[in-house]
Amino acid sequence: MKRLYHTTLLLILALCSFALTVQAQKAYVGLEYQMSYNDNWGANRPVILTVYPNSPAAQAGLRGGDIIEAINGHETIKMSEEEMIRELQGEGGASVDLLVSNFAYHRVERHLKPMAQPADALTERDIARAFGMYSLEDESDILISYPISTGTEGKTDLINYETFGFVRTNKQHTNRDALIEQQITEALQAKGLTYDQKNPDLLIDTYYSITENSAYDAAAARRSAVQTSLRIDPKAHKLVELPILPMGSDKTLARFYLKFGVTIYSGVNERKMLWTSEAEELLSDDYTLTDYTALTVPVMLLQFPFTRYFNSLVVRFATHRHLSLGINYRANNISTIHSLPLHSPAAEAGLRAGDEIVAINGRPLGTADELSKGYLAFVKKSMACRTHEHPFAIKDGPTNCRYWDSEDYARVAKLLDKDKYFGGFSYLFAFNPWITTAPRTGVTIDYLRDGVMQRVVVEPKLQESCYVTLE
């Protein structure tokens, strides 16, 4: 999988060893793709997996599932991956002409304008990711595993299918079925398919059951420390706690078994199965099927039509929120302003390229080395302020991360105020109470210009990019 963005930092330690590359510019595109070797969708061409909200890719109208057929007039099936990456990032900020296909359109034009950024600068987006442990609630890529198996049949190319309906022959249609069908309809319509019960190209069938576990050991279950799991609510964009045992749990701890499956057939030949997906869960307590499917159907159908996981499914819950002043910092001197986009909050407040920032909100900024050491010391010291419940794994990071304990918000803010932790970049998350207990009235910048100390208050803008995607 290729991510078409450029992140200079993932760990703050990288600040200490950043070296200027031969590039004069870096390009932010805002999409992830994978080369498809799947005969059912986009064979031997790149398929877009994720389009980041508010990114150049989103502004170009690109969507998850798009097959990139051609880039700047070159058919991708004949290009190397290195050529594709170079073309997608644009040359010197030039726009990129794409031909893409999906259920709702075939080989339509999309015009992508990558966002050019100096290679020797760090954006606030880069820095927010580097300092993510200040606020995992706002800056994290959380990985959640689902016991969902998925399969495809044959070499049928799904690109020419346009409509769908549901199998209802000899089947009692209950209110529960209607709710599940509505959930599936919303997910498929979002992919560009049209509902047509009379003459569908695709036929959707579902099956489900919740049964009591005759081998349930109540005494062992009471002794078990873990009886719930975190799952994603894609619509509300939050994690929720469900009475589902973690994957790999002892089956005797489950009060109930839950099974839910979706199978997609050809509407022309109802016996020809095209795609199927099934979830098998161990429930620690009673749970309604429609509540379960409301959360699971959108996740399950992330794999249709482009299937990547055939056994357990890994989903990324991405949350990227930070306050932006519009400052690009020098990579080789983090306290110096590299550049300011026109009309950015910092530029409007009077800051200029070359200004040396001494403190932000009264917290010293320091050198890259001081920032690194102070940040790591803060992370270690503040671990006791995190909740002991619901650990989660983050991408390219620890598997036992936790959010802040709400009872310790004031303590977190107090730690950040200590000069030795160099918490200046916590301004990126100052809209939340664990960063500051005082009402936010703007970001105060103390800076040096021509040897003279000056102060300005800048009103930041919230930048947000949140999504759920396959890992």
Side-chain angles (χ1 to χ4, degrees), residues 405-455:
D405 190 322
S406 59
E407 295 183 0
D408 281 323
Y409 288 170
R411 185 180 171 195
V412 175
K414 189 174 181 180
L415 285 172
L416 282 167
D417 271 334
K418 293 189 175 182
D419 286 355
K420 65 180 180 180
Y421 295 130
F422 291 92
F425 282 121
S426 63
Y427 83 84
L428 295 160
F429 310 110
F431 51 93
N432 274 319
W434 45 85
I435 298 298
T436 176
T437 55
R440 186 177 65 81
T441 56
V443 177
T444 302
I445 306 290
D446 292 309
Y447 65 99
L448 281 171
R449 179 184 295 166
D450 299 327
V452 179
M453 182 69 73
Q454 301 187 51
R455 171 174 289 184

Side-chain angles (χ1 to χ4, degrees), residues 76-266:
T76 55
I77 201 166
K78 299 177 181 178
M79 298 174 69
S80 70
E81 200 159 1
E82 291 75 15
E83 289 173 325
M84 282 187 280
I85 291 173
R86 185 170 60 252
E87 292 284 339
L88 282 169
Q89 290 182 328
E91 179 108 20
S95 62
V96 181
D97 296 325
L98 305 178
L99 291 180
V100 298
S101 297
N102 213 322
F103 285 121
Y105 40 81
H106 293 172
R107 297 182 71 87
V108 301
E109 293 184 355
R110 296 285 186 263
H111 303 289
L112 176 65
K113 179 70 173 175
M115 186 183 298
Q117 299 168 182
D120 57 343
L122 300 175
T123 68
E124 287 167 305
R125 181 178 63 248
D126 296 332
I127 294 173
R129 295 189 178 192
F131 286 90
M133 293 295 284
Y134 281 157
S135 187
L136 290 172
E137 292 84 345
D138 300 295
E139 183 55 53
S140 57
D141 287 275
I142 297 173
L143 304 182
I144 303 289
S145 297
Y146 290 76
I148 294 176
S149 58
T150 305
T152 59
E153 184 68 26
K155 296 185 177 182
T156 303
D157 191 346
L158 298 171
I159 191 64
N160 293 317
Y161 290 79
E162 297 178 354
T163 61
F164 69 94
F166 293 92
V167 175
R168 292 174 180 167
T169 307
N170 300 322
K171 181 177 179 180
Q172 184 180 4
H173 193 65
T174 65
N175 288 336
R176 175 188 289 171
D177 292 318
L179 286 171
I180 293 173
E181 286 186 6
Q182 180 59 33
Q183 294 159 4
I184 295 172
T185 295
E186 290 176 4
L188 293 181
Q189 287 178 335
K191 294 176 180 289
L193 288 165
T194 301
Y195 174 70
D196 182 356
Q197 188 60 33
K198 292 183 178 180
N199 189 30
D201 297 330
L202 299 170
L203 275 171
I204 317 298
D205 197 12
T206 61
Y207 57 93
Y208 50 78
S209 64
I210 297 181
T211 58
E212 292 189 19
N213 179 13
S214 60
Y216 174 60
D217 186 337
R222 284 193 295 271
R223 293 193 299 269
S224 176
V226 182
Q227 291 287 303
T228 60
S229 294
L230 291 177
R231 292 292 173 87
I232 301 168
D233 183 337
K235 288 187 176 179
H237 197 85
K238 65 180 182 179
L239 295 178
V240 294
E241 181 182 8
L242 300 184
I244 296 174
L245 294 175
M247 290 175 60
S249 294
D250 185 342
K251 293 183 178 181
T252 64
L253 303 179
R255 287 185 60 192
F256 303 96
Y257 292 126
L258 181 151
K259 181 179 287 189
F260 171 70
V262 176
T263 305
I264 300 180
Y265 298 93
S266 166

